[in-house]
Amino acid sequence: MTRLRVDGVPVELPAGATLLDAVRAVGAELPTLCHDDRLPPAGFCRTCLVDADGRTVAACVTPATPGMTVDTGNEHVRELWRDAVALIASTLPRRALAEASPSELAETCRLLDIDPDTAAASPGHEPDDSHPYVRLDPDLCIACGRCVRMCSDVQGTFALTLTGRGADTVAAPGTGGPWAESDCVSCGGCVDTCPTGAITQPGPAAGLTSRRPEPAPVRTTCGYCGVGCALDVVVREGEVAAVLPARDGPVNRGHACVKGRFAHGYLTSSERLTEPLVRRGGVLTRVGWDEALGVVASGLRAAVGQGAPDAVAAISSARATNEENYLVQKFVRTVIGTNNVDNCSRLCHAPSAAGLTASFGRAGGTDSFDDVEQADCLLVVGANPVEAHPVVGARLLQRALDGAVLVVADPRGVGLARHADVHLPNRPGTNVALFHGLAHVLVDEGLTDPGFLRDRAAGLDELTPLLAEYPPARVAAITGVPARDIVAAARYYGRAEHPAIVYGLGVTEHLHGTDGVRALANLPILRGAVGATGRGFGITPLRGQNNVQGASDMGALPDLLPGYGHVTDPAARARAEAVWGRPVPTTPGLRIPAMFDAARDGRLRALWIIGEDVCATDPDSTRVAEALDACPLVVVDELFAGETARHADVVLPVASWLEKDGTFVNFDRRFQRVRTAVGPPGGARTDFAVVHAVAAAMGADLGCRTPAAALAECGRLAPDFAGISHERLDREGALHWPCPSPDAPGEATLYAGTFATSDGRAHLAAPPYLPPGEEPDADYPLLLVTGRRWAHYNSGSMTRRGANLGLDPQGHLDLHPEDAARHGVRDGAPVVVDSRHGQARLTARVGGDLAPGQVFCAFHFPDEHVNSLTSGHADTATSCPEYKVTAVRLRPAQE
Ligand SMILES: Nc1nc2c(c(=O)[nH]1)N[C@H]1C(S)=C(S)[C@@H](COP(=O)(O)OP(=O)(O)OC[C@H]3O[C@@H](n4cnc5c(=O)[nH]c(N)nc54)[C@H](O)[C@@H]3O)O[C@H]1N2
Ligand SMILES: Nc1nc2c(c(=O)[nH]1)N[C@H]1C(S)=C(S)[C@@H](COP(=O)(O)OP(=O)(O)OC[C@H]3O[C@@H](n4cnc5c(=O)[nH]c(N)nc54)[C@H](O)[C@@H]3O)O[C@H]1N2
Ligand code: SF4
Ligand code: SF4
Ligand code: FES
Ligand SMILES: [Mo]
């Protein structure tokens, strides 16, 4: 602790604090034009001057030392501020200090009584209006460097630079041309830090930053990906004016990405559904809510009457809140009387839930991201966080730039792989062999932790002989990764003091996805780098959707109740029955793919799909559409009439994340609040209200009238969430589960002392490597990998309706130059891709850092039919589709 005095007031500060921290600790303010708390101090602008023991110093870069006396109040210091700030302002045109300007500079000048006419320079540069979300007005630039440093030191994109000389130095895209053609990924970091208005968001948000948003914003949690960024929504005249990154956001710490920050144009799209639709004479027709609810209720009753409760199923939404998911599964189990409820975790991280539960006892990641970020070796496997979890990707990149070793296992050389110390581009579908190869080296070179293996693990005796079959040379032959790189990666992981693993769908979306998770989980067990040993940070899946962790936590799963009690476990059922006052069905229900099978063969007679565009995003989509067409009642809760709605009998218009109240659980098990910023359009209702209304139409009362009451009820039957409530989250911000009581802090790092398995040990697994479901052959010679792009989100229903579409207007097929030449395909030309299951039309992009024989595309444009290509192969343990491996062929389209 450092003790010093500021303006006569004693302060105590932690080691490493600066004089700026000291000044702020007493509540005083300084001009700090080149400083942002999110950045390391730079000391460029010389406006933050204070008297320290009689010397004039820049507070932001001067360490606080014991016994110092700091003075900010005297007229001499104020005069220095005025001079420094006025000198900076004098280089700008008059409008920089316009009366209404909300900029930090204009506000500072007002506070210091600097005459607005001080800014009198004549304009000299053209503004850059090329980008939808970022406008550059170089005449207002003071060359403080904050934007450049946000882009490099926080975002890691390095898109900006300072150009020009002397007083004419201004910020500009590093590529020299217009902003829209630069490397910018629209995170908004530069917009949020710019103190003068030189970089702003065009439109009603102009000049708004997270420093002091006006009017007071609504704090919520992002409804796109699972990172769980805390966002501040500024609402003006009933509409969202801006979405700003919350500086005190526990995960994002004042950062965000193009989706959470900017992609809210969908809210006011003219295509938003505002009234219920019911199919009449083959046509979806607008009706009132009472009529639509009547059709749903009578259809559900008929399905139960003709086929018993198991003829009904629901797909709940990982986009929706915990409370909505809780209510959906409660409705399905207690009003219909079946366990046929599932969510898109099935398509995504079901293998993680199954694999991590088998290895360690619980379905989530083992550690908090805050811990992962302390690691000295990052093993990033089958994940592209730079595009799919940008705020996590940015933090991982900064960690690597700060010196942590980075090992990336991904067939493609994109994203973090570009910065890796070792990149392992294994052939898609060969993970199990690769992970056993790494484990082989750990064992072979004595890089395991014998004490941990003896005291806290099980399964070594079965694993050891299996690993003997995976020497680097053999693994190299299977995976295509050079043996020396396998050895190098294993040594890095094996020798690090705090190795961490984060992984994504490149591990799970395979025929043997659960085996992949288990083989990967062997590594931290062998190293003793899991279980709060202080020697590492375990293994964390980068769960995808904003609330896919929560949808599963809430029991929107066919075999698990809220809090992961199994439906076949009498004790778990009894806990739920005591709260619900209704029997819980005893047999596990249908998983999503089995729901479609049952519909096709006539066993499923009603399917309620809440926020999942199954005809666009589930695999082998032609067969999915057949299933929906065969099902007598298909009800869809949606924001937009997408592919699935076209096959629906009833479409119910619902609210999105900015329009409702509740909670989400992010990828590292944090509950955070979601709050209503604006009302839903027209007659749209929340999924929460819709589930209540359907239950009421069937003569049932689900109780828990408010989202807060629903979460409280869930806590009564799920001990892991018993300590979490809206009221507590409103006070504390975020809480990790497990959190068993209102005074428990929430467990960020799991398994101190014991694992949650039946014997308290971490379980090594010994699955053999088995080949993927499809392999390229003479007819279909290319291996298609599907995944994500930064500007769009899944079905694209929200990101295609707004300016993100301009950033990435169509789907591309990335391919190697050799394959382009072999198949007669030119860069930018339309191509037809065929698989054994269907056909897609995309635009060729030669590049993308793939091996010859492999091609890559995303699935964000349903019109292009990418998911008609993907097969029905699915993880043998959990039915997660094999989206990452499809054999395809390619030809140029007729132009
Ligand atoms: N911008 C954007 N962000 C998103 C989404 C989005 O649609 N757009 N969707 C969200 C959702 S739902 C999810 S689940 C997450 C997904 O996030 P990620 O898991 O990061 O996403 P993907 O791009 O599907 O796949 C990750 C990587 O796996 C690699 N891969 C494929 N096969 C293999 C293999 O056999 N072995 C290895 N080691 N790697 C392989 C691919 O090359 C790809 O780079 O993203 C979320 N965030
Ligand atoms: N080829 C290929 N296909 C894939 C994948 C892949 O890697 N490759 N990944 C798979 C993965 S991991 C996932 S998670 C799925 C995602 O697939 P989906 O879940 O289908 O995709 P989303 O676009 O996220 O959302 C589905 C729908 O929910 C609606 N929606 C948004 N918010 C709400 C809400 O609050 N309530 C309701 N009722 N609706 C809402 C949106 O308009 C959208 O139409 O895609 C899978 N499909
Ligand atoms: S928006 Fe983000 S990526 Fe783009 S220039 Fe600004 S800081 Fe860099
Ligand atoms: S990183 Fe994920 S949670 Fe954060 S703003 Fe982007 S989409 Fe939202
Ligand atoms: S804020 Fe301290 S020198 Fe600029
Ligand atoms: Mo996902």
Side-chain angles (χ1 to χ4, degrees):
M1 278 297 189
T2 308
R3 290 196 181 83
L4 64 163
R5 296 181 92 81
V6 179
D7 297 337
V9 182
V11 263
E12 244 187 39
L13 294 164
T18 63
L19 290 189
L20 180 57
D21 299 323
V23 168
R24 286 180 176 170
V26 302
E29 285 203 55
L30 296 174
T32 50
L33 289 178
C34 72
H35 185 79
D36 185 310
D37 289 338
R38 294 165 287 191
L39 297 168
F44 290 161
C45 74
R46 315 296 297 178
T47 59
C48 62
L49 300 171
V50 291
D51 267 0
D53 293 340
R55 283 188 311 125
T56 304
V57 294
C60 70
V61 285
T62 308
T65 51
M68 250 183 181
T69 305
V70 180
D71 192 356
T72 72
N74 67 43
E75 193 44 40
H76 167 64
V77 170
R78 301 191 146 261
E79 203 51 50
L80 291 175
W81 295 347
R82 264 193 295 272
D83 288 350
V85 175
L87 184 65
I88 289 170
S90 70
T91 65
L92 305 182
R94 176 69 181 76
R95 67 198 150 82
L97 301 187
E99 206 176 307
S101 169
S103 81
E104 192 177 328
L105 176 69
E107 199 180 284
T108 306
C109 287
R110 287 193 287 268
L111 280 173
L112 296 178
D113 276 333
I114 293 172
D115 182 352
D117 289 327
T118 308
S122 33
H125 300 266
E126 282 296 304
D128 182 337
D129 287 308
S130 62
H131 195 280
Y133 298 131
V134 188
R135 178 175 197 270
L136 173 65
D137 185 347
D139 281 339
L140 297 187
C141 180
I142 59 170
C144 66
R146 278 162 64 166
C147 55
V148 177
R149 289 183 290 131
M150 276 303 271
C151 200
S152 57
D153 295 10
V154 173
Q155 167 58 25
T157 295
F158 302 92
L160 298 181
T161 184
L162 291 176
T163 60
R165 276 161 193 270
D168 203 31
T169 306
V170 293
T175 41
W179 198 292
E181 288 165 27
S182 74
D183 297 331
C184 171
V185 293
S186 320
C187 72
C190 50
V191 175
D192 203 59
T193 195
C194 178
T196 66
I199 300 181
T200 52
Q201 178 179 356
L208 270 175
T209 70
S210 64
R211 198 176 59 98
R212 213 163 290 159
E214 285 277 337
V218 178
R219 169 65 55 89
T220 195
T221 305
C222 181
Y224 284 104
C225 90
V227 170
C229 293
L231 300 174
D232 281 333
V233 187
V234 179
V235 179
R236 287 181 181 160
E237 291 167 14
E239 292 208 355
V240 171
V243 181
L244 304 168
R247 295 200 180 195
D248 56 350
V251 191
N252 56 317
R253 303 174 182 177
H255 193 207
C257 85
V258 63
K259 298 181 298 300
R261 179 78 160 82
F262 295 117
H264 46 83
Y266 75 87
L267 282 171
T268 52
S269 159
S270 59
E271 293 171 287
R272 265 306 281 280
L273 294 169
T274 56
E275 287 164 282
L277 307 171
V278 168
R279 194 169 294 281
R280 292 244 183 77
V283 183
L284 284 174
T285 311
R286 294 173 184 196
V287 297
W289 271 100
D290 288 347
E291 188 175 345
L293 292 168
V295 174
V296 175
S298 63
L300 290 173
R301 262 193 228 104
V304 174
Q306 283 159 10
D310 289 341
V312 176
I315 298 176
S316 196
S317 184
R319 305 297 300 274
T321 62
N322 288 318
E323 295 76 3
E324 291 170 334
N325 278 282
Y326 176 77
L327 215 57
V328 172
Q329 62 82 37
K330 183 177 181 186
F331 171 82
V332 170
R333 291 190 161 111
T334 66
V335 179
I336 304 291
T338 173
N339 282 313
N340 288 343
V341 58
D342 206 353
N343 77 81
C344 77
S345 174
R346 188 65 53 208
L347 313 179
C348 183
H349 276 286
S352 295
L356 296 174
T357 303
S359 295
F360 305 114
R362 288 187 187 277
T366 61
D367 288 69
S368 144
F369 185 62
D370 302 333
D371 298 341
V372 168
E373 215 198 14
Q374 309 297 317
D376 58 348
C377 171
L378 300 165
L379 179 53
V380 180
V381 187
N384 180 18
V386 166
E387 297 196 57
H389 298 83
V391 165
V392 160
R395 283 180 60 183
L396 291 175
L397 176 57
Q398 293 304 333
R399 190 72 207 109
L401 295 174
D402 278 353
V405 170
L406 179 62
V407 178
V408 174
D410 193 304
R412 301 183 301 144
V414 301
L416 288 178
R418 293 204 184 107
H419 303 267
D421 294 281
V422 185
H423 174 212
L424 308 170
N426 63 314
R427 218 158 45 77
T430 62
N431 287 329
V432 173
L434 179 69
F435 305 157
H436 286 339
L438 296 170
H440 177 104
V441 178
L442 292 182
V443 172
D444 207 42
E445 302 202 354
L447 298 173
T448 61
D449 181 337
F452 183 90
L453 289 169
R454 184 190 60 232
D455 299 338
R456 298 196 58 188
L460 188 60
D461 291 347
E462 296 76 37
L463 182 61
T464 309
L466 179 95
L467 290 184
E469 294 169 33
Y470 292 88
R474 177 168 177 244
V475 172
I478 299 171
T479 61
V481 178
R484 65 172 182 282
D485 291 344
I486 297 169
V487 174
R491 285 181 183 158
Y492 276 132
Y493 184 81
R495 291 175 183 166
E497 289 198 14
H498 303 291
I501 298 177
V502 294
Y503 71 94
L505 300 179
V507 175
T508 57
E509 287 180 344
H510 287 287
L511 184 63
H512 303 289
T514 302
D515 288 352
V517 172
R518 300 233 39 211
L520 187 60
N522 284 345
L523 304 178
I525 303 175
L526 288 169
R527 272 290 272 115
V530 59
T533 57
R535 280 194 301 283
F537 301 104
I539 171 166
T540 301
L542 292 174
R543 303 219 47 167
Q545 301 267 38
N546 54 320
N547 198 35
V548 65
Q549 180 71 51
S552 303
D553 295 347
M554 294 297 115
L557 291 170
D559 50 346
L560 297 169
L561 295 166
Y564 297 96
H566 206 279
V567 295
T568 57
D569 173 7
R573 280 202 312 273
R575 267 201 313 273
E577 284 164 355
V579 175
W580 293 341
R582 302 271 305 170
V584 173
T586 56
T587 45
L590 298 172
R591 296 169 173 177
I592 292 172
M595 292 178 188
F596 300 139
D597 290 342
R600 281 188 294 258
D601 63 25
R603 283 175 290 132
L604 192 75
R605 305 195 59 80
L607 178 58
W608 188 1
I609 304 172
I610 300 166
E612 185 169 319
D613 195 355
V614 293
C615 290
T617 56
D618 278 50
D620 204 358
S621 53
T622 316
R623 300 268 294 150
V624 175
E626 283 165 22
L628 300 195
D629 291 341
C631 187
L633 177 70
V634 175
V635 181
V636 166
D637 283 20
E638 253 299 344
L639 317 181
F640 296 102
E643 300 293 305
T644 306
R646 280 187 211 148
H647 299 271
D649 302 289
V650 181
V651 181
L652 303 174
V654 293
S656 71
W657 61 283
L658 285 160
E659 301 159 334
K660 61 188 171 188
D661 184 78
T663 55
F664 294 151
V665 186
N666 82 330
F667 79 103
D668 70 350
R669 292 177 282 105
R670 275 179 239 234
F671 274 78
Q672 299 187 94
R673 286 280 275 123
V674 177
R675 297 190 183 85
T676 311
V678 291
R685 299 180 179 180
T686 63
D687 289 303
F688 193 82
V690 171
V691 180
H692 268 306
V694 170
M698 294 190 69
D701 183 354
L702 290 170
C704 44
R705 300 243 63 88
T706 62
L711 189 63
E713 182 180 298
C714 177
R716 284 167 53 209
L717 62 122
D720 278 348
F721 316 135
I724 297 172
S725 63
H726 281 212
E727 185 255 325
R728 197 173 161 198
L729 290 167
D730 287 341
R731 249 184 302 122
E732 297 180 34
L735 283 166
H736 280 96
W737 73 258
C739 180
S741 69
D743 50 7
E747 222 174 295
T749 305
L750 294 179
Y751 311 130
T754 176
F755 289 91
T757 48
S758 54
D759 60 2
R761 286 170 174 267
H763 286 244
L764 292 160
Y769 162 71
L770 297 167
E774 289 205 352
E775 301 257 28
D777 56 20
D779 290 337
Y780 297 93
L782 296 166
L783 193 161
L784 170 70
V785 181
T786 61
R788 286 151 175 83
R789 310 272 192 203
W790 63 276
H792 288 294
Y793 195 77
N794 291 342
S795 70
S797 70
M798 292 148 91
T799 49
R800 281 182 286 103
R801 291 180 171 94
N804 280 39
L805 186 61
L807 299 173
D808 186 9
Q810 63 192 350
H812 283 105
L813 183 79
D814 297 346
L815 76 170
H816 193 273
E818 282 175 23
D819 292 317
R822 185 167 308 127
H823 296 275
V825 168
R826 276 184 306 106
D827 188 47
V831 284
V832 178
V833 186
D834 283 289
S835 76
R836 287 196 172 77
H837 320 283
Q839 184 175 82
R841 286 165 180 271
L842 295 151
T843 302
R845 181 155 65 195
V846 180
D849 244 320
L850 293 143
Q854 295 172 21
V855 294
F856 177 88
C857 70
F859 58 106
H860 305 312
F861 294 85
D863 288 354
E864 295 168 347
H865 300 297
V866 166
N867 270 327
S868 74
L869 298 172
T870 45
S871 75
H873 291 296
D875 177 37
T876 49
T878 65
S879 310
C880 177
E882 191 181 40
Y883 287 119
K884 297 296 186 248
V885 181
T886 309
V888 297
R889 66 180 172 225
L890 186 66
R891 64 183 156 86
Q894 306 302 333
E895 283 179 68

